[in-house]
């Protein structure tokens, strides 16, 4: 082969390899940054419905379906709520759980479902019988829809869902908050149904979305809130941290509740890519591609999650069963700021499902934290 021909062939090969690497990185970053709201994360296996009976449902037996607590199950056209395990048959590879209620469709043998932390379906009025107002919050990209459940206290709670869920997820604690007479503003933000899309069509794991929470704080104060408590799950917890650190209204933030907080942007990008089936060899490419498409977000999150940056009482719900958000970083945050941070460890729950594992213990910890802040 002539030298010029060989050089051209080598360059063509390098271009082809480079293009393949870019495509692979984009594919893997899509898995991490295009998480549809309301679709359960694939961190737990898909389950088959094997049988149903009054108050009972048989599911594929695995570590996820044996997990204690109260969970939603969701599939095409289906949403139901399952409670504690009531039987583990020896002759079948199934687990029988209490079927608490069916909120959409009708689970049938052969249906494929996933566990979800969302146990309610519909508005606060439909799901909990709580009167609410549909409100519109002016924000950076346009108008954001939110539910407002009123209460007679001057401290408002602003709730923010995270990955794989919608504003129906905070309904898990809305009844508790309402019983304590706290107004609750439950926010839908960019990328959610009825809310504006992100300009690039991607999620930023809280790093840009927090500005929608900032708009909600401003709305609450304009509407009569004396101060606010931010309660976020997953990337919603990231948004709460960033808003508490950077909002022009941060002096109104009285406290922060973080459930399964994403404190390391890069490790969560990797974990999401793996959960959506990206090969491990593509994970470095996924991170680089994600940074190239959305900007380098790690610095902003590190600054907000710096223990020295915390300035308000913070309650954290988290545990070692979370495969998406770093449990060691949560422990470090709590250990370095015992004056402000209370850590409630949940040992057997997946990402953003700390309430589901034991609702009573979760709400008691929340009550103890909120009482002096009300």
């Amino acid at each position: 082969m002539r030298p010029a021909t060989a050089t051209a062939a080598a360059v063509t090969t390098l271009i082809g390899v480079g293009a393949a690497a870019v495509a692979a990185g984009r594919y893997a970053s899509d898995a991490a940054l295009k998480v549809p709201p309301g679709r359960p994360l694939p961190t737990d296996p898909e389950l088959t419905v094997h049988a149903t009976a009054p108050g009972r449902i048989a599911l594929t037996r695995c570590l996820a379906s044996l997990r204690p607590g109260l969970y939603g199950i969701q599939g095409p056209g289906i949403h139901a709520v399952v409670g504690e395990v009531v039987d583990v048959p020896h002759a079948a590879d199934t687990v029988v759980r209490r079927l608490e209620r069916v909120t959409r469709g009708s689970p049938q043998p052969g249906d494929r479902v996933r566990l979800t932390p969302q146990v309610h379906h519909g508005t606060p009025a439909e799901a909990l019988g709580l009167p609410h107002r549909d409100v519109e919050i002016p924000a950076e990209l346009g108008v954001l829809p939110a539910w407002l459940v009123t209460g007679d206290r001057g401290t408002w709670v602003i709730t923010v869902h995270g990955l794989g869920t919608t504003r129906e997820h905070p309904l898990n604690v809305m009844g508790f908050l309402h019983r304590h007479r706290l107004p609750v503003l439950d926010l839908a933000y960019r990328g959610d149904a009825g809310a504006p899309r992100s300009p690039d069509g991607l999620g930023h794991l809280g790093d840009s979305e927090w500005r929608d929470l900032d708009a909600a704080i401003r709305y609450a104060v304009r509407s009569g809130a004396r101060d606010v408590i931010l309660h976020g799950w997953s990337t919603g917890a990231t948004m709460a941290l960033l808003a508490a650190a950077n909002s022009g209204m941060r002096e109104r933030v009285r406290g922060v509740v973080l459930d399964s907080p994403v404190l390391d942007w890069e490790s969560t990008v990797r974990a999401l890519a793996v959960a959506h089936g990206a090969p491990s060899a593509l994970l470095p490419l996924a991170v680089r591609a994600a940074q190239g498409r959305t900007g380098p977000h790690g610095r902003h999150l590190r600054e907000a999650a710096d223990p020295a940056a915390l300035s308000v009482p913070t309650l954290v719900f988290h545990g070692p069963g979370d495969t998406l958000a770093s449990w060691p970083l949560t422990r470090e945050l709590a250990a370095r700021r015992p004056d402000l941070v209370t850590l409630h460890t949940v040992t057997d729950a997946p990402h953003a499902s700390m309430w589901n594992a034991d609702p009573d213990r979760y709400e008691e910890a929340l009550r103890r934290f909120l009482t002096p802040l009300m």
Side-chain angles (χ1 to χ4, degrees), residues 9-20:
V11 169
T12 300
T13 300
L14 287 173
I15 291 173
V17 171

Side-chain angles (χ1 to χ4, degrees), residues 205-207 210 232-243 258 260-263 301 304:
L205 303 186
D207 195 54
W210 76 267
W233 289 255
S234 179
T235 50
T238 307
M239 291 165 62
L241 270 176
L242 289 164
L258 309 176
S260 311
V262 171
L263 302 180
L301 181 51

Side-chain angles (χ1 to χ4, degrees), residues 57-77:
I57 186 167
L59 301 168
T60 306
R61 187 192 306 171
C62 64
L63 291 176
S65 61
L66 287 166
R67 196 177 282 135
L70 185 73
Y71 289 87
I73 56 170
Q74 187 170 319

Side-chain angles (χ1 to χ4, degrees), residues 83-142:
E84 296 297 332
V85 172
V86 295
D87 191 20
V88 182
H90 294 292
D93 194 20
T94 61
V95 57
V96 180
R97 299 188 71 123
R98 183 176 295 109
L99 182 61
E100 302 288 347
R101 59 184 180 274
V102 177
T103 53
R104 185 176 67 223
S106 177
Q108 299 295 324
D111 286 341
R112 303 286 283 174
V113 297
R114 288 189 188 275
L115 293 172
T116 170
Q118 291 193 177
V119 301
H120 295 290
H121 178 63
T123 68
E126 293 165 342
L128 300 169
L130 295 178
H132 73 280
R133 288 166 43 205
D134 290 296
V135 301
E136 295 183 335
I137 298 173
E140 179 182 52
L141 300 181

Side-chain angles (χ1 to χ4, degrees), residues 246-268:
N246 300 312
S247 171
M249 305 292 288
R250 57 186 175 273
E251 75 280 357
R252 298 296 191 114
V253 178
R254 186 94 186 268
V256 178
V257 181
L258 309 176
D259 187 313
S260 311
V262 171
L263 302 180
D264 184 330
W265 195 87
E266 292 184 10
S267 70
T268 296

Side-chain angles (χ1 to χ4, degrees), residues 194-233:
R197 293 179 73 249
S198 173
D200 58 13
L202 301 172
H204 292 189
L205 303 186
D207 195 54
S208 60
E209 293 87 349
W210 76 267
R211 294 193 289 273
D212 292 345
L213 178 54
D214 178 45
I217 296 170
R218 295 174 186 275
Y219 175 90
V221 171
R222 287 196 306 269
S223 300
R226 182 184 65 246
D227 45 41
V228 300
I229 293 167
L230 308 178
H231 189 154
W233 289 255

